[in-house]
Amino acid sequence: MPEEFTVTPYKVTGEIDYDVLIERFGTKRIDEQLLARLAKYGPLHHMLRRQIFYSHRDLEWLLDEYDKSNKFTLYTGRGPSGPIHLGHLMPWAFAKYLQDTFKVKLWFQLTDDEKFMFYDHLTLDECKKWGYENALDIIALGFDPKLTNIFLDTEYIKTMYPMAVRAAKKINFSTIKAVFGFDNSNNIGSIFFTSIQTVPCFLESMEQGKKVPCLIPCGIDQDPHFRITRDIAEGLGYFKPALIHAKLMPSLQGAEKMSTSAGTDMTIFTTDDKKTVKKKIGNAFTGGRVSVEEQKKLGGDPNICSVHAYNAYFFEPDDKKLAKLNSDCRTGKIMCGECKNLLFEKVWKFLEEHQTRRQKAKDVIEDFFVRD
Ligand code: TRP
């Protein structure tokens, strides 16, 4: 029997079967035909080639509109509850690829309100502080300041609130309970919150005073919010947002969602120093055997290996090199220690540059923020 699993924005448990999730959520797989179509706009991102971004809603429609010179806008976000780790960066790096490929604007929401309402241990000021910290990591990825609007919910609320109440009026409590699994013990802010996450789907339309298509790159755990948005969008006078969904990057511990709750030793933060990164990768869970002799004889299993996952998701964009690592592992030609070293070199090279760009971002943060 396959293990039970749950995926909502607020709870991810069990081992996720991503094929089953497509059926449960009623999304569409990004198939060969759609990949071929996407390849016409520019080289396919490795996260598409490897089916890490693997599911969508209405992406074909969005491209039809784009082909008719009806440009879309991008929207994604972050719940600022703590420091950024590599798993967080993954969908944002993909958003950057979309911005570069289609030359479109990105709206980036920082939901300090959400994290405050959902976590007992955080004050609102702390969430806001994390919002500004996290914005540095976002900017460090290289988004175009002319095409990128970052905003913090509690600060941009004057612009958003009228649309939030229009949305909220169309959503009833039983929908919220069914979609998010909430009950009577949830605070009323958390019940209302999804209407705040809905608004940015329409910000570009509001600004331009006409219906603008919107594409949301996100982890598939965020899809429930936007199912609600899609149900009410046309009633509010807008297009339904299109979505492109990613699988969740595993932690260094193995197959589960890469989450800060997996333990800080099992996630690499963007501000970690060289020694810490080396140590964390050194302790990563792999698909190796109990002894070197056995591994030389039987080979390892990249399918369950977190080092392999890191390469596949982020750090080895070259398909040929990834395939070689894979086969060298299976045939016992490469041992886990060496593989970890190779990963460390790539991760550290990335992080060293990221940390410099993150520092520089402090000087330009206001070029990215939009305010009421
Ligand atoms: N709710 C998301 C989180 O907790 C943050 C978020 C807001 C978001 N808007 C979004 C994520 C749009 C993806 C797309 O991380």
Side-chain angles (χ1 to χ4, degrees), residues 120-326:
D120 286 337
H121 69 281
L122 289 169
T123 66
L124 188 54
D125 284 341
E126 283 165 339
C127 296
K128 188 170 164 169
K129 188 203 99 196
W130 282 121
Y132 277 93
E133 279 293 311
N134 294 174
L136 300 175
D137 287 290
I138 295 158
I139 294 167
L141 289 175
F143 290 105
D144 180 345
K146 285 192 231 63
L147 287 177
T148 308
N149 289 345
I150 305 178
F151 54 96
L152 196 70
D153 283 345
T154 58
E155 291 181 347
Y156 204 48
I157 193 62
K158 197 171 165 187
T159 302
M160 290 196 291
Y161 196 58
M163 195 53 67
V165 294
R166 286 188 193 109
K169 194 172 176 178
K170 294 188 181 293
I171 307 167
N172 59 42
F173 188 26
S174 54
T175 301
I176 296 298
K177 286 201 245 191
V179 171
F180 298 110
F182 293 172
D183 59 30
N184 287 347
S185 71
N186 280 89
N187 69 57
I188 61 172
S190 61
I191 296 159
F192 172 77
F193 172 72
T194 196
S195 53
I196 297 280
Q197 186 153 327
T198 279
V199 173
C201 300
F202 312 134
L203 280 171
E204 187 61 30
S205 300
M206 287 157 64
E207 211 172 82
Q208 291 194 25
K210 64 169 204 219
K211 295 203 276 187
V212 180
C214 174
L215 173 63
I216 309 170
C218 62
I220 194 158
D221 58 321
Q222 295 296 312
D223 183 73
H225 281 296
F226 302 117
R227 276 196 314 257
I228 298 178
T229 312
R230 286 169 54 85
D231 281 345
I232 63 173
E234 283 167 339
L236 291 167
Y238 300 110
F239 292 127
K240 293 178 180 193
L243 288 112
I244 181 161
H245 305 109
K247 296 174 183 171
L248 309 175
M249 182 159 156
S251 77
L252 288 171
Q253 216 162 17
E256 284 139 61
K257 178 180 180 179
M258 180 164 185
S259 154
T260 328
S261 58
T264 49
D265 289 351
M266 288 301 161
T267 50
I268 295 172
F269 296 106
T270 59
T271 48
D272 279 346
D273 63 20
K274 193 172 178 180
K275 231 176 99 191
T276 309
V277 175
K278 180 127 198 150
K279 195 169 125 215
K280 286 179 177 177
I281 293 179
N283 291 331
F285 175 81
T286 69
R289 302 276 171 180
V290 287
S291 68
V292 171
E293 292 83 71
E294 227 179 273
Q295 191 158 340
K296 281 189 175 151
K297 207 162 68 201
L298 301 168
D301 182 1
N303 272 344
I304 59 163
C305 176
S306 68
V307 174
H308 171 73
Y310 268 55
N311 279 322
Y313 275 73
F314 213 130
F315 291 102
E316 190 42 85
D318 184 325
D319 289 348
K320 283 203 192 91
K321 286 188 188 162
L322 187 71
K324 171 108 174 43
L325 275 176
N326 224 313

Side-chain angles (χ1 to χ4, degrees), residues 9-10 75-80 92 109-111 114-115 153 193 197 200 216-219 221-222 225-226:
Y10 301 107
Y75 158 41
T76 194
R78 152 79 183 156
W92 306 341
Q109 178 177 42
L110 295 166
T111 56
E114 176 187 28
K115 295 296 125 162
D153 283 345
F193 172 72
Q197 186 153 327
I216 309 170
C218 62
D221 58 321
Q222 295 296 312
H225 281 296
F226 302 117

